[in-house]
Amino acid sequence: MSFEPRVVVITGASAGIGRAAAREFASSGCRVALLARGDAGLAAAADDVRAAGGEPLTIPVDVADYAAVEAAATRAEKVLGPIDAWVNSAFTSVFAPFEQIAAAEFRRVTEVTYLGTVHGTMAALSRMRTRDRGAVVQVGSALGARSIPLQSAYCAAKHAVNGFTESVRVELMHEGSNVHITLVQAPAVNTPQFSWVLS
């Protein structure tokens, strides 16, 4: 990127990679909009951002709800200023054999992990493209390249994130846009997911 991000939005900001990213952006003085569902996690992440030298804004939101994500983006820009970078880190999963996963559970993983990424990208690009600058970062997974047993819903959603991101990336390149979209394929890391998600 040819600019330093000053306003950053992070989904899934209450824990794990999203919260770590919030601390990292805050350490360079960024204003950080923290999006997640849990009030306690958001409050703790906001404390982290302040301690690292950034300015936090907490916005409780379910990324599966596009209208809520769009409203969060509007609020972030109203309070913090134009969004320079948007990080899609929110996800959920189910640890179970496919035959034991209910249709509603599979749908929820897809709506949060895949469609949540789509919703965040839509909200970010609708603002960034008019300014012809900005960056969208998708937090992918090694499981988006190599699926494993007991996580069929999550692996499928992360594969979908890969395909979606590549299509949008090429479209932006074709337009000659200065907006960038990238995918970070995360390995297994020590996050709370293994005790938080349905098993």
Side-chain angles (χ1 to χ4, degrees):
M1 294 187 308
S2 60
F3 68 97
E4 290 292 327
R6 304 312 302 163
V7 176
V8 181
V9 176
I10 302 174
T11 71
S14 60
I17 291 173
R19 188 161 163 184
R23 286 194 299 266
E24 190 65 26
F25 280 112
S27 70
S28 63
C30 288
R31 297 183 295 279
V32 186
L34 306 163
L35 278 58
R37 288 185 304 142
D39 290 333
L42 282 171
D47 289 342
D48 288 353
V49 168
R50 276 188 288 271
E55 177 186 342
L57 171 66
T58 60
I59 306 176
V61 66
D62 182 348
V63 296
D65 179 349
Y66 173 71
V69 173
E70 175 61 26
T74 298
R75 181 166 175 226
E77 290 212 324
K78 182 176 181 181
V79 175
L80 302 178
I83 297 166
D84 296 309
W86 185 294
V87 179
N88 286 305
S89 185
F91 81 95
T92 191
S93 187
V94 175
F95 300 139
F98 173 67
E99 66 180 8
Q100 295 179 20
I101 301 174
E105 294 164 349
F106 207 101
R107 176 183 294 275
R108 180 63 180 165
V109 173
T110 304
E111 288 176 343
V112 173
T113 307
Y114 171 54
L115 290 180
T117 296
V118 172
H119 297 160
T121 303
M122 283 181 170
L125 291 184
S126 70
R127 291 158 174 81
M128 293 175 180
R129 289 176 73 194
T130 60
R131 297 189 284 259
D132 196 32
R133 70 180 183 90
V136 177
V137 180
Q138 320 291 35
V139 177
S141 171
L143 301 187
R146 173 68 70 181
S147 294
I148 62 171
L150 307 181
Q151 289 212 61
S152 57
Y154 178 80
C155 291
K158 287 299 188 181
H159 274 75
V161 167
N162 290 351
F164 162 71
T165 301
E166 182 66 8
S167 288
V168 175
R169 187 181 70 81
V170 174
E171 289 172 7
L172 290 169
M173 288 173 60
H174 179 72
E175 294 170 12
S177 176
N178 288 313
V179 178
H180 300 277
I181 187 167
T182 190
L183 180 65
V184 178
Q185 300 289 30
V189 295
N190 183 20
T191 76
Q193 69 165 301
F194 302 104
S195 59
W196 283 13
V197 305
L198 181 63
S199 178

